Amino acid sequence: MKIGIFDSGIGGLSVLHEAYHQLPDQEYIFYADTEHVPYGLKTPEQIIGYATEITQFLIDKGVDAIVVACNTATSVAIKELRKRFDLPILGMEPAVKPAVEGTEDKRIMVIATPVTIREDKLKDLLHRVDEQHRVDLLAMPRLVEFAEREEFESPEVTDYVNSQFSSYDKSDYCALVLGCTHFNYFKPAYRSFFGENTLLIDGNDGTVRHLADVMGLSISPDKDMKLDEKHNILCLRNTEYFFSGKEISDEETLKRLQRLHLRLEEVRNI
Ligand code: DGL
């Protein structure tokens, strides 16, 4: 089966990376809209326009299903995409439901882009699942820019993360929901702020399981096996990578993609 996965940028690689673990035998087309990143600071009309164009592009490449590996694009464009195109299109939303259901009484923080936080889709979700009003929302748009620069551990990143969290008492929080796929790269920074007792919850595992379910695919029994450098090199082979419509074949960008997969592997279980 051929699966198309797209995002504004390298955040969506974290979904592809999880798919490598759980569905290693499928073929993938990964599309990062590097010319238009960040989506989190664009208008809904612009985002719908980009998402429509990318979906058509992936369909023309023969994909059987599409994962919108972007909470921001999902929140404004998913309805329109499903109306227009006739194939399974899976979206992503902040994993608030598992966070609320998997914890008891302390607070839950959702971090996402300003668009995701502003849109009705998240408000509707909270209305349905956050009966006890335990969820707080916080926009962290600069993390997208840091991620795109592959700047994951610098003092600027640490300062930014700590200053965004500074008005909250970390001991109040049992879970942090990563509501933007770019935010996965920074798990060590959240962990060092919140300590060991706060769960870090992203939507990747649930999204890939949902994909398997919709497409009738079996999850690999070895899904938690570590993907080493060798595996990642192999994995890059069953994927075609595109940056805003241009196929990636140059050594330097392929190396960058491998570096990013290695980072994602390092932080997968933090
Ligand atoms: N990775 C995206 C998300 O999950 C969007 C980041 C951006 O382009 O602002 O929301």
Side-chain angles (χ1 to χ4, degrees):
M1 202 128 340
K2 210 180 208 183
I3 314 292
I5 298 184
F6 81 84
D7 181 30
S8 59
I10 60 161
L13 277 185
S14 65
V15 181
L16 175 64
H17 190 83
E18 191 56 35
Y20 284 171
H21 274 273
Q22 302 202 23
L23 302 170
D25 300 327
Q26 306 309 314
E27 282 179 59
Y28 298 96
I29 300 192
F30 177 78
Y31 189 118
D33 195 7
T34 47
E35 274 174 22
H36 300 120
V37 68
Y39 282 4
L41 301 174
K42 301 281 189 305
T43 65
E45 293 70 27
Q46 284 173 307
I47 300 168
I48 291 172
Y50 304 142
T52 306
E53 208 177 294
I54 297 167
T55 302
Q56 187 62 60
F57 179 94
L58 293 171
I59 291 172
D60 294 344
K61 293 276 172 206
V63 298
D64 301 292
I66 291 179
V67 179
V68 183
C70 177
N71 296 263
T72 309
T74 301
S75 64
V76 296
I78 198 87
K79 273 198 196 140
E80 183 65 28
L81 297 179
R82 289 186 180 139
K83 217 187 301 163
R84 255 184 210 228
F85 301 103
D86 187 22
L87 81 171
I89 301 180
L90 285 79
M92 291 193 75
E93 62 185 7
V96 176
K97 195 161 182 265
V100 170
E101 288 172 357
T103 59
E104 289 193 340
D105 46 8
K106 289 170 93 182
R107 301 202 64 74
I108 294 164
M109 168 113 57
V110 176
I111 52 175
T113 67
V115 170
T116 303
I117 287 185
R118 222 182 292 129
E119 282 297 312
D120 288 346
K121 196 160 191 305
L122 182 55
K123 295 198 185 94
D124 293 345
L125 176 67
L126 293 180
H127 188 69
R128 272 182 281 123
V129 305
D130 182 25
E131 283 170 15
Q132 295 166 343
H133 304 290
R134 288 202 285 141
V135 175
D136 295 314
L137 305 177
L138 178 64
M140 285 216 176
R142 286 201 65 204
L143 288 184
V144 176
E145 163 197 326
F146 285 124
E148 290 295 325
R149 289 209 295 265
E150 269 183 82
E151 190 177 330
F152 305 127
E153 305 256 358
S154 68
E156 286 78 9
V157 168
T158 313
D159 285 353
Y160 178 65
V161 168
N162 291 345
S163 72
Q164 294 296 101
F165 288 144
S166 64
S167 52
Y168 300 90
D169 181 346
K170 63 183 173 196
S171 63
D172 288 343
Y173 289 87
C174 58
L176 176 72
V177 174
L178 314 187
C180 169
T181 49
H182 278 80
F183 293 1
N184 284 272
Y185 294 96
F186 304 97
K187 285 181 182 172
Y190 318 134
R191 180 58 74 216
S192 75
F193 180 86
F194 283 101
E196 291 303 315
N197 296 329
T198 302
L199 292 169
L200 303 182
I201 304 178
D202 65 62
N204 293 348
D205 173 60
T207 301
V208 175
R209 277 191 289 114
H210 186 204
L211 172 67
D213 204 31
V214 169
M215 303 308 285
L217 303 168
S218 331
I219 302 281
S220 163
D222 297 329
K223 74 179 181 60
D224 289 319
M225 203 174 70
K226 212 170 153 34
L227 293 185
D228 56 20
E229 208 157 340
K230 207 160 121 232
H231 273 96
N232 274 327
I233 290 163
L234 292 175
C235 282
L236 290 185
R237 285 220 204 118
N238 60 2
T239 308
E240 295 164 63
Y241 286 90
F242 291 87
F243 282 4
S244 293
K246 283 188 238 45
E247 179 151 20
I248 300 304
S249 55
D250 66 289
E251 201 62 18
E252 195 185 327
T253 315
L254 290 172
K255 283 233 164 67
R256 175 168 186 241
L257 292 166
Q258 284 171 351
R259 258 196 327 272
L260 292 166
H261 276 294
L262 287 172
R263 171 75 185 177
L264 291 165
E265 186 61 26
E266 260 168 45
V267 301
R268 183 168 180 251
N269 293 314
I270 283 181

mmCIF file of all heavy atoms in Angstrom, residues 214-230:
data_model
loop_
_atom_site.group_PDB
_atom_site.id
_atom_site.type_symbol
_atom_site.label_atom_id
_atom_site.label_comp_id
_atom_site.label_asym_id
_atom_site.label_seq_id
_atom_site.Cartn_x
_atom_site.Cartn_y
_atom_site.Cartn_z
ATOM 1 N N VAL A 214 -7.934 1.603 9.479
ATOM 2 C CA VAL A 214 -8.719 2.032 8.305
ATOM 3 C C VAL A 214 -8.291 1.267 7.052
ATOM 4 O O VAL A 214 -9.116 0.905 6.210
ATOM 5 C CB VAL A 214 -8.544 3.566 8.097
ATOM 6 C CG1 VAL A 214 -9.098 4.028 6.763
ATOM 7 C CG2 VAL A 214 -9.187 4.339 9.241
ATOM 8 N N MET A 215 -6.991 1.003 6.927
ATOM 9 C CA MET A 215 -6.485 0.369 5.710
ATOM 10 C C MET A 215 -6.368 -1.150 5.837
ATOM 11 O O MET A 215 -5.885 -1.829 4.929
ATOM 12 C CB MET A 215 -5.111 0.964 5.324
ATOM 13 C CG MET A 215 -5.092 2.468 5.132
ATOM 14 S SD MET A 215 -6.376 3.054 3.986
ATOM 15 C CE MET A 215 -5.686 2.564 2.404
ATOM 16 N N GLY A 216 -6.764 -1.699 6.982
ATOM 17 C CA GLY A 216 -6.713 -3.155 7.170
ATOM 18 C C GLY A 216 -5.286 -3.694 7.201
ATOM 19 O O GLY A 216 -5.011 -4.782 6.688
ATOM 20 N N LEU A 217 -4.362 -2.953 7.799
ATOM 21 C CA LEU A 217 -2.957 -3.383 7.856
ATOM 22 C C LEU A 217 -2.637 -3.894 9.258
ATOM 23 O O LEU A 217 -3.215 -3.413 10.236
ATOM 24 C CB LEU A 217 -2.033 -2.194 7.548
ATOM 25 C CG LEU A 217 -2.274 -1.493 6.205
ATOM 26 C CD1 LEU A 217 -1.503 -0.172 6.144
ATOM 27 C CD2 LEU A 217 -1.872 -2.404 5.060
ATOM 28 N N SER A 218 -1.679 -4.854 9.342
ATOM 29 C CA SER A 218 -1.323 -5.325 10.689
ATOM 30 C C SER A 218 -0.118 -4.572 11.214
ATOM 31 O O SER A 218 0.859 -4.363 10.494
ATOM 32 C CB SER A 218 -0.979 -6.811 10.730
ATOM 33 O OG SER A 218 -1.661 -7.483 9.756
ATOM 34 N N ILE A 219 -0.199 -4.238 12.486
ATOM 35 C CA ILE A 219 0.905 -3.556 13.171
ATOM 36 C C ILE A 219 2.053 -4.551 13.379
ATOM 37 O O ILE A 219 1.815 -5.701 13.749
ATOM 38 C CB ILE A 219 0.424 -3.056 14.560
ATOM 39 C CG1 ILE A 219 -0.773 -2.117 14.433
ATOM 40 C CG2 ILE A 219 1.555 -2.453 15.372
ATOM 41 C CD1 ILE A 219 -0.486 -0.724 14.041
ATOM 42 N N SER A 220 3.276 -4.100 13.154
ATOM 43 C CA SER A 220 4.428 -4.979 13.318
ATOM 44 C C SER A 220 4.582 -5.441 14.769
ATOM 45 O O SER A 220 4.530 -4.618 15.690
ATOM 46 C CB SER A 220 5.689 -4.215 12.900
ATOM 47 O OG SER A 220 6.811 -4.865 13.390
ATOM 48 N N PRO A 221 4.820 -6.751 14.977
ATOM 49 C CA PRO A 221 5.048 -7.211 16.346
ATOM 50 C C PRO A 221 6.343 -6.637 16.927
ATOM 51 O O PRO A 221 6.508 -6.580 18.138
ATOM 52 C CB PRO A 221 5.140 -8.739 16.216
ATOM 53 C CG PRO A 221 5.298 -9.014 14.761
ATOM 54 C CD PRO A 221 4.851 -7.821 13.995
ATOM 55 N N ASP A 222 7.251 -6.183 16.050
ATOM 56 C CA ASP A 222 8.533 -5.611 16.521
ATOM 57 C C ASP A 222 8.478 -4.092 16.616
ATOM 58 O O ASP A 222 9.495 -3.415 16.542
ATOM 59 C CB ASP A 222 9.663 -5.945 15.527
ATOM 60 C CG ASP A 222 9.895 -7.414 15.416
ATOM 61 O OD1 ASP A 222 9.680 -8.110 16.417
ATOM 62 O OD2 ASP A 222 10.276 -7.863 14.323
ATOM 63 N N LYS A 223 7.299 -3.526 16.793
ATOM 64 C CA LYS A 223 7.178 -2.068 16.666
ATOM 65 C C LYS A 223 8.045 -1.278 17.652
ATOM 66 O O LYS A 223 8.377 -0.126 17.394
ATOM 67 C CB LYS A 223 5.717 -1.631 16.749
ATOM 68 C CG LYS A 223 5.101 -1.680 18.118
ATOM 69 C CD LYS A 223 3.672 -1.183 18.028
ATOM 70 C CE LYS A 223 2.972 -1.168 19.356
ATOM 71 N NZ LYS A 223 3.588 -0.320 20.360
ATOM 72 N N ASP A 224 8.415 -1.906 18.762
ATOM 73 C CA ASP A 224 9.227 -1.157 19.721
ATOM 74 C C ASP A 224 10.723 -1.418 19.577
ATOM 75 O O ASP A 224 11.525 -0.932 20.362
ATOM 76 C CB ASP A 224 8.750 -1.418 21.151
ATOM 77 C CG ASP A 224 7.404 -0.727 21.365
ATOM 78 O OD1 ASP A 224 7.259 0.414 20.880
ATOM 79 O OD2 ASP A 224 6.499 -1.346 21.954
ATOM 80 N N MET A 225 11.057 -2.186 18.547
ATOM 81 C CA MET A 225 12.476 -2.429 18.300
ATOM 82 C C MET A 225 13.128 -1.107 17.893
ATOM 83 O O MET A 225 12.526 -0.309 17.163
ATOM 84 C CB MET A 225 12.598 -3.414 17.145
ATOM 85 C CG MET A 225 13.892 -4.161 17.112
ATOM 86 S SD MET A 225 13.799 -5.407 15.812
ATOM 87 C CE MET A 225 13.834 -4.372 14.358
ATOM 88 N N LYS A 226 14.350 -0.912 18.349
ATOM 89 C CA LYS A 226 15.025 0.349 18.022
ATOM 90 C C LYS A 226 15.360 0.388 16.533
ATOM 91 O O LYS A 226 15.805 -0.600 15.958
ATOM 92 C CB LYS A 226 16.310 0.412 18.844
ATOM 93 C CG LYS A 226 16.676 1.815 19.209
ATOM 94 C CD LYS A 226 17.795 1.855 20.220
ATOM 95 C CE LYS A 226 18.575 3.160 20.081
ATOM 96 N NZ LYS A 226 17.818 4.340 19.703
ATOM 97 N N LEU A 227 15.114 1.520 15.892
ATOM 98 C CA LEU A 227 15.546 1.688 14.499
ATOM 99 C C LEU A 227 16.936 2.307 14.545
ATOM 100 O O LEU A 227 17.084 3.438 14.977
ATOM 101 C CB LEU A 227 14.625 2.645 13.744
ATOM 102 C CG LEU A 227 13.189 2.227 13.467
ATOM 103 C CD1 LEU A 227 12.515 3.279 12.593
ATOM 104 C CD2 LEU A 227 13.122 0.884 12.772
ATOM 105 N N ASP A 228 17.939 1.535 14.134
ATOM 106 C CA ASP A 228 19.283 2.105 14.197
ATOM 107 C C ASP A 228 19.582 2.831 12.889
ATOM 108 O O ASP A 228 18.755 2.913 11.991
ATOM 109 C CB ASP A 228 20.324 1.026 14.496
ATOM 110 C CG ASP A 228 20.261 -0.094 13.474
ATOM 111 O OD1 ASP A 228 19.719 0.144 12.374
ATOM 112 O OD2 ASP A 228 20.744 -1.184 13.782
ATOM 113 N N GLU A 229 20.796 3.315 12.816
ATOM 114 C CA GLU A 229 21.188 4.095 11.649
ATOM 115 C C GLU A 229 20.991 3.291 10.365
ATOM 116 O O GLU A 229 20.493 3.794 9.372
ATOM 117 C CB GLU A 229 22.647 4.493 11.801
ATOM 118 C CG GLU A 229 22.984 5.757 11.092
ATOM 119 C CD GLU A 229 24.229 6.404 11.694
ATOM 120 O OE1 GLU A 229 24.572 6.090 12.851
ATOM 121 O OE2 GLU A 229 24.829 7.189 10.988
ATOM 122 N N LYS A 230 21.337 2.009 10.465
ATOM 123 C CA LYS A 230 21.235 1.153 9.290
ATOM 124 C C LYS A 230 19.774 1.018 8.856
ATOM 125 O O LYS A 230 19.427 1.156 7.696
ATOM 126 C CB LYS A 230 21.808 -0.215 9.641
ATOM 127 C CG LYS A 230 22.341 -0.944 8.444
ATOM 128 C CD LYS A 230 23.307 -2.019 8.883
ATOM 129 C CE LYS A 230 22.802 -3.346 8.385
ATOM 130 N NZ LYS A 230 22.705 -4.346 9.419
#
